[in-house]
Amino acid sequence: MNAYKTVLVTGGAGYISSHATLALLQAGFDLVVLDNLCNASAESLRRVAQLSGRAPVFVQGDIRDRALLDHLLAQHWVQAVLHFAGPKAVGESLAQPLSYYSNNVGGTVNLCQAMAAASVFTLLFSSSATVYGDSATVSITEDQPLGQITNPYGRSKFMVEQLLGDIVASDKRWRVALLRYFNPVGAHESGQIGEDPNGIPNNLLPFVAQVAVGQSPELAVFGHDYPTLDGTGVSDYIHVVDLAEGHLAALKAIYSCPGMEVWSLGTGNGYSVLQLVRAFEAASGRHVPYRLAERRPGDVATCYAHPGKAAAELNWISKRDLHSIMRDAWRWQSQNPDGYRG
Ligand code: NAD
Ligand code: WQD
């Protein structure tokens, strides 16, 4: 039995959100998806509907459009919001900081104003482990001091966390979950939905997949002299379906948690860049040529979640291992070599 019935999913046609949308539809929620399609295709939602046997209401539009939000929240009797919308590329945010602050900070302010006006006070926010910055510890708990964030994207996420804390403090009706994702990877096991990056991917696994199919000649491994098992950086890669299930668990939990809660969504395990490359090669049967390159500014040697708080409070842990991640990533990539354009 779901405590909420109708949920608005902002940015719901995207990579993580399409998997969350599928999980929520399968769990019986009614969904309204608002996405401006700046980094997505409506084809993802068509496939989600096919997989779940139920279609979300889809509205193409922008979270900064207040009149549209007012209309959607009222017309569909929305009770809770999953807020994914916003750009996410660290490099792009350095070149276009105002666009990141406008979308991520301005968009969230607009959304919260519209929610309050419509008496919708439950929000799950897609935050990021990037808010932990250059942490001194490697197994990161939610009470870790934040800061030392090196780019406008990360700072925009940090600012949103702060502003959400302020509105929760000002009005006891709010229930807000800050979900700090580690490194989402993989695809739905059907091979029907997955990550479809525009142009050259920003993140490691989509880039590895492009090298494997010959769309890029080789991978540059950023840093080979870190104090790790093989000298390359160690990160916490979480299967996107596990992450989607984390949203379902958080939505159920927040119903009985007034105020603001923070949950890191990660696996608690770290893998190095070269371990990830070898696991991809094993799952795909493809060779991934690589060269060792300089460290990338802003990277850390080792970073993974301490998943204890989410396990205790959400009754959620990640279940899918590195092999499943690679198998599902490869199934998506090989069945959809041109992504949703195919
Ligand atoms: P994505 O780009 O696939 O999804 C974001 C979606 O939001 C896209 O469908 C895009 O078209 C839409 N969108 C962007 N701006 C919008 C606006 N102003 N109005 C309406 N729709 C808009 O990205 P993703 O990887 O699925 O990330 C989803 C969320 O999770 C983002 O907030 C991102 O910052 C956060 N996050 C992502 C990662 C990651 O590594 N992928 C890690 C931590 C946090
Ligand atoms: C992982 C590892 C790289 C590319 C980023 C954002 C973070 C969050 C998740 C949104 C690192 C190495 C990478 C390449 C490489 N996103 N690498 N060659 O940096 O942990 O996190 O995505 O919130 O904010 O910063 O992920 O996939 O870029 O890198 O060697 O071509 O792969 O150095 O060790 P990252 P990533």
Side-chain angles (χ1 to χ4, degrees):
M1 168 75 179
N2 296 321
Y4 300 107
K5 181 162 167 49
T6 305
V7 176
L8 171 67
V9 186
T10 74
Y15 168 46
I16 302 166
S17 57
S18 56
H19 292 81
T21 295
L22 177 58
L24 263 69
L25 285 169
Q26 287 172 331
F29 290 92
D30 294 332
L31 301 185
V32 180
V33 167
L34 173 66
D35 197 306
N36 66 7
L37 300 183
C38 69
N39 195 37
S41 158
E43 173 64 12
S44 65
L45 294 176
R46 201 189 61 73
R47 296 187 185 187
V48 162
Q50 220 166 36
L51 289 166
S52 65
R54 301 177 59 221
V57 173
F58 172 59
V59 177
Q60 185 171 349
D62 199 290
I63 53 164
R64 290 164 293 181
D65 182 341
R66 174 64 193 272
L68 177 61
L69 285 175
D70 288 344
H71 174 70
L72 286 184
L73 291 167
Q75 189 194 12
H76 298 284
W77 295 91
V78 170
Q79 293 158 319
V81 178
L82 263 61
H83 179 29
F84 293 93
K88 58 164 182 178
V90 169
E92 185 185 64
S93 78
L94 289 160
Q96 301 168 26
L98 288 175
S99 161
Y100 274 67
Y101 291 120
S102 162
N103 250 294
N104 288 344
V105 183
T108 305
V109 170
N110 197 47
L111 175 65
C112 292
Q113 285 174 328
M115 287 175 65
S119 293
V120 180
F121 289 103
T122 299
L123 178 72
L124 269 62
F125 174 61
S126 297
S127 190
S128 169
T130 200
V131 299
Y132 294 119
D134 195 354
S135 165
T137 57
V138 294
S139 174
I140 296 178
T141 52
E142 287 83 349
D143 56 5
Q144 178 84 22
L146 306 181
Q148 300 296 320
I149 301 167
T150 53
N151 59 78
Y153 164 71
R155 277 190 283 275
S156 72
K157 290 289 177 188
F158 178 68
M159 287 178 193
V160 171
E161 288 203 358
Q162 303 286 302
L163 80 85
L164 291 174
D166 289 339
I167 63 170
V168 167
S170 74
D171 185 333
K172 301 297 173 217
R173 288 174 293 178
W174 283 95
R175 289 150 203 266
V176 171
L178 306 180
L179 302 178
R180 295 178 182 152
Y181 313 155
F182 278 69
N183 293 56
V185 283
H188 190 259
E189 63 178 7
S190 64
Q192 289 294 301
I193 56 172
E195 186 166 14
D196 182 17
N198 261 336
I200 298 171
N202 297 294
N203 294 112
L204 177 63
L205 191 58
F207 196 82
V208 166
Q210 286 205 357
V211 172
V213 296
Q215 285 172 7
S216 298
E218 65 178 5
L219 170 74
V221 174
F222 299 141
H224 49 94
D225 55 356
Y226 285 114
T228 60
L229 74 169
D230 57 20
T232 67
V234 169
S235 309
D236 186 334
Y237 298 97
I238 178 167
H239 195 299
V240 67
V241 177
D242 281 328
L243 187 58
E245 290 169 358
H247 288 73
L248 197 55
L251 186 58
K252 288 179 178 164
I254 202 72
Y255 186 72
S256 41
C257 295
M260 189 160 86
E261 292 289 338
V262 186
W263 290 298
S264 282
L265 298 181
T267 68
N269 299 311
Y271 290 101
S272 75
V273 174
L274 290 182
Q275 283 179 311
L276 193 120
V277 168
R278 290 198 192 97
F280 188 89
E281 288 182 327
S284 66
R286 298 288 179 106
H287 178 51
V288 177
Y290 68 83
R291 73 184 158 83
L292 300 176
E294 292 297 300
R295 291 183 182 191
R296 186 175 65 177
D299 281 347
V300 294
T302 302
C303 159
Y304 48 84
H306 189 298
K309 186 168 185 285
E313 296 174 1
L314 302 181
N315 195 23
W316 169 89
I317 52 165
S318 69
K319 294 188 285 228
R320 294 161 180 86
D321 61 9
L322 192 63
H323 172 73
S324 311
I325 288 173
M326 298 307 162
R327 180 200 60 203
D328 295 339
W330 177 243
R331 189 181 291 118
W332 158 254
Q333 174 73 38
S334 50
Q335 289 182 10
N336 306 272
D338 298 315
Y340 291 117
R341 293 165 300 283

